[in-house]
Amino acid sequence: AAQSVGKRVLTTSVGPPPPRMCPAASLYDVLGVSSTVSSEDIRRAYLKKALKLHPDRNPSEGAKEEFQRLQKVYEVLSDEQKRKVYDQTGDVEATELTGEQFDSLYDHYRTLFKKVESDDIDAFMEKYRHSEEEERDLLEYYKRFRGDMEIVFSFQMCSEPENDAHRFRDAISRAIDEGRVKSFSKFRKWADKIDEKYRQPRPHKRKAKRRKEQPEGLSSLEKQIKAMQKGRASDFHSYFMNKYGGGCQPDMEEPSDEAFERARARLQSGAKVASSKPAKGRKKLSKAKP
């Protein structure tokens, strides 16, 4: 077909549309069921297909390959874990990395790489800070984002604005003075604000020390709370027994019935004495009468 544009003539070839690509049949299509059927429905559909495609019953060409394919389909859909992986990914090969195969692969991975603990992270951060690699990364992000330190901190590894602002300001200012990087207005405004803030001496050292002193896990916190409660109960028990129970120590066992009765008798006798004494206010009033 020809199309004229001004004095120019454009020719375009119009052919038949490309054939539509049919989506590959899913494992459920092979069995003739939907993806929402139960495991029992999958088993029944498999048995029905297997009777038709079994090489002993179906001597036609291709029946053996179809039967082997059916076996593979049922191997995936009959396993709850493999079926879940297939439903999520649509990939049959992904279902191979489940169960014992995944566990063995994970064990092999652990033989090559040890499990990363919090102490390993702290050691890496301590080694990375103040290193040439850190300064190289810092200057690279500084140039990329043209001195916008808010963005720099979001990209800079192992960085915290409240702890590293003064240190980064010094490193970038030194690089500017040496001519390694150019000065940006955003950085200068940010640096002026940082100059007004207090510089904390070795902030990361203090933070690491506090983290080591903190108990790890909720169980340790629970133990501390229970110990405090136990100590308070012991102090109350000691106060009560020293005053009313004959000076028993807090680490002694529970008082006997006789000791409890003596303490109750002392409480009752003390209450009677207090009620029999006249109030001081009443004495003053009686003296004031003519």
Side-chain angles (χ1 to χ4, degrees), residues 47-225:
L47 293 176
K48 185 178 179 181
K49 287 275 187 179
L51 290 175
K52 293 181 180 180
L53 297 176
H54 198 279
D56 294 342
R57 291 173 173 262
N58 191 343
S60 62
E61 185 178 358
K64 182 177 180 181
E65 289 75 11
E66 288 293 328
F67 181 75
Q68 292 176 350
R69 182 188 179 193
L70 181 66
Q71 292 286 102
K72 181 64 177 178
V73 169
Y74 185 68
E75 178 185 350
V76 174
L77 297 183
S78 61
D79 187 285
E80 182 178 355
Q81 189 175 7
K82 290 184 178 181
R83 182 182 177 183
K84 183 177 180 180
V85 173
Y86 175 76
D87 291 341
Q88 293 175 347
T89 63
D91 188 1
V92 178
E93 294 182 358
T95 62
E96 299 295 334
L97 295 178
T98 57
E100 295 181 357
Q101 292 184 354
F102 176 82
D103 295 338
S104 61
L105 181 62
Y106 180 78
D107 294 338
H108 176 67
Y109 171 82
R110 278 292 167 223
T111 59
L112 300 177
F113 306 98
K114 70 173 186 177
K115 187 177 180 180
V116 178
E117 303 289 349
S118 59
D119 293 339
D120 299 326
I121 299 176
D122 293 339
F124 171 80
M125 294 175 67
E126 186 176 356
K127 182 179 179 181
Y128 177 77
R129 291 192 180 104
H130 304 276
S131 65
E132 295 181 358
E133 182 182 3
E134 182 196 44
E135 183 174 351
R136 185 168 58 251
D137 295 340
L138 175 63
L139 297 180
E140 178 64 28
Y141 292 133
Y142 168 80
K143 291 185 293 184
R144 182 189 301 183
F145 303 116
R146 303 183 65 82
D148 192 334
M149 295 304 296
E150 183 177 353
I151 304 178
V152 170
F153 270 106
S154 64
F155 277 80
Q156 180 67 26
M157 182 171 54
C158 306
S159 65
E160 299 172 347
E162 63 275 13
N163 294 324
D164 299 309
H166 289 87
R167 189 166 61 86
F168 285 3
R169 189 273 316 273
D170 295 343
I172 296 174
S173 298
R174 183 169 56 252
I176 293 174
D177 295 339
E178 295 173 357
R180 290 184 287 161
V181 294
K182 63 181 296 185
S183 177
F184 296 103
S185 60
K186 285 187 176 181
F187 171 76
R188 291 194 297 269
K189 293 179 181 179
W190 174 83
D192 293 339
K193 294 180 180 179
I194 296 303
D195 288 337
E196 300 174 357
K197 295 183 179 180
Y198 172 72
R199 180 193 289 265
Q200 298 182 2
R202 304 175 67 84
H204 293 292
K205 291 290 184 181
R206 297 203 313 271
K207 185 175 180 181
K209 183 178 179 181
R210 289 196 302 266
R211 184 164 56 249
K212 290 181 179 180
E213 292 175 353
Q214 290 177 352
E216 296 184 1
L218 182 60
S219 59
S220 299
L221 179 60
E222 291 176 344
K223 290 179 180 178
Q224 283 191 342
I225 294 175

